[in-house]
Amino acid sequence: MAASHPSVSVDPADVARFEALGDEWWDPAGPMSALHQINPLRIAWLRDLIAGRFGAPRQADDPPLAGRSVLDIGCGAGLLAEPLARLGAEVTGLDPSPGNIAAAKRHAQATGARVAYRAATLEELAQDSPLFDVVLAMEVVEHVRDMPRFVRTACGLVRPGGLFAASTLNRTFRSFALAVVAAERILRWIPPGTHRWEQFVTPEELGAAIRSGGLREIARTGIIYDPLRGDWRASRDTGVNYMIAAKRF
């Protein structure tokens, strides 16, 4: 492999913060409890998106994502990678933290999940020029140092006809009040210091970065917390959390 390029996808402080979680990533009542709560919605949205784009598997009894190659950038300990693998996808989990990848491998070994994990930056992976049916950056772009360049690099790994999907936090006064003040400082849903509001990304900024990567947006949805039901659901409201998908034509 060629010498590593300088990484724009790594903020050392964020890497150290998430790496310190170790096996706590998988504790539903632990520091990543909010991610556990939102995960069913993310999985369902991605399942329908991917299956809708590529159609049903060749064999009727195959899982819905059978045969689809998926890159999960910033996979952490595998909270999203494992469920997608169980849906039949051929998942590569990428994370710059060796500690996160070690935790992911331990959990996968315990559950029997088949995920190819790699401790590397996005730039290091991109040197090998792999192409995937689906490239994911879920809860990642708000943690990188150069979001437009990061997104362009990620989009460059999407094969013709493939998909890029991202979820992140909008940079609004409401997102500061709910995602930083309430979620971190008052309710303690996530560890204090997890997010920096100035790094939140508006849909317009993310959309522009995706277009510069040669893809066209095909889907967008907001994510809101429903206190009456006690869970998260899709919404037209993108003022705090949202997800975007784009296609390479």
Side-chain angles (χ1 to χ4, degrees):
M1 179 182 293
S4 297
H5 296 167
S7 175
V8 298
S9 64
V10 172
D11 184 319
D14 273 339
V15 171
R17 181 180 301 110
F18 290 118
E19 186 168 35
L21 296 175
D23 292 326
E24 287 188 291
W25 273 94
W26 283 98
D27 181 359
M32 291 291 103
S33 60
L35 202 55
H36 281 272
Q37 293 169 15
I38 207 170
N39 218 26
L41 176 61
R42 299 194 305 171
I43 294 164
W45 188 75
L46 289 170
R47 178 201 62 211
D48 294 347
L49 176 76
I50 298 168
R53 167 65 191 92
F54 295 104
R58 293 179 181 178
Q59 302 296 326
D61 57 349
D62 281 346
L65 305 186
R68 299 302 165 197
S69 60
V70 176
L71 173 64
D72 183 14
I73 304 171
C75 65
L79 268 64
L80 183 60
E82 278 201 25
L84 293 177
R86 286 194 290 271
L87 289 172
E90 299 169 359
V91 183
T92 297
L94 182 74
D95 200 281
S97 163
N100 286 346
I101 292 299
K105 288 182 176 179
R106 285 194 298 271
H107 196 271
Q109 184 175 20
T111 62
R114 300 183 65 180
V115 180
Y117 285 114
R118 179 172 174 180
T121 66
L122 174 61
E123 293 79 14
E124 289 169 337
L125 178 69
Q127 290 181 61
D128 297 334
S129 301
L131 293 179
F132 299 86
D133 293 324
V134 183
V135 174
L136 304 178
M138 310 297 283
E139 283 72 53
V140 173
V141 297
E142 70 272 22
H143 294 290
V144 302
R145 296 186 297 186
D146 186 338
M147 184 277 296
R149 185 176 168 190
F150 169 84
V151 170
R152 288 195 300 271
T153 302
C155 288
L157 302 182
V158 178
R159 74 164 179 81
L163 299 172
F164 170 77
S167 58
T168 190
L169 287 149
N170 200 346
R171 193 174 63 256
T172 61
F173 290 120
R174 188 150 53 97
S175 72
F176 179 78
L178 295 177
V180 178
V181 176
E184 293 189 19
R185 302 175 187 175
I186 298 175
L187 299 173
R188 301 286 172 147
W189 283 354
I190 52 179
T194 297
H195 294 117
R196 291 191 289 275
W197 180 79
E198 63 273 14
Q199 288 186 279
F200 289 4
V201 181
T202 69
E204 292 73 25
E205 291 167 344
L206 183 52
I210 289 170
R211 290 192 298 275
S212 73
L215 276 65
R216 185 187 306 168
E217 183 178 333
I218 59 170
R220 180 187 302 188
T221 185
I223 305 173
I224 63 171
Y225 181 72
D226 187 337
L228 297 179
R229 301 194 316 179
D231 62 7
W232 296 83
R233 61 180 176 87
S235 168
R236 294 181 179 179
D237 182 358
T238 61
V240 181
N241 297 81
Y242 66 96
M243 298 186 287
I244 280 181
K247 176 183 175 182
R248 182 178 296 285
F249 287 88

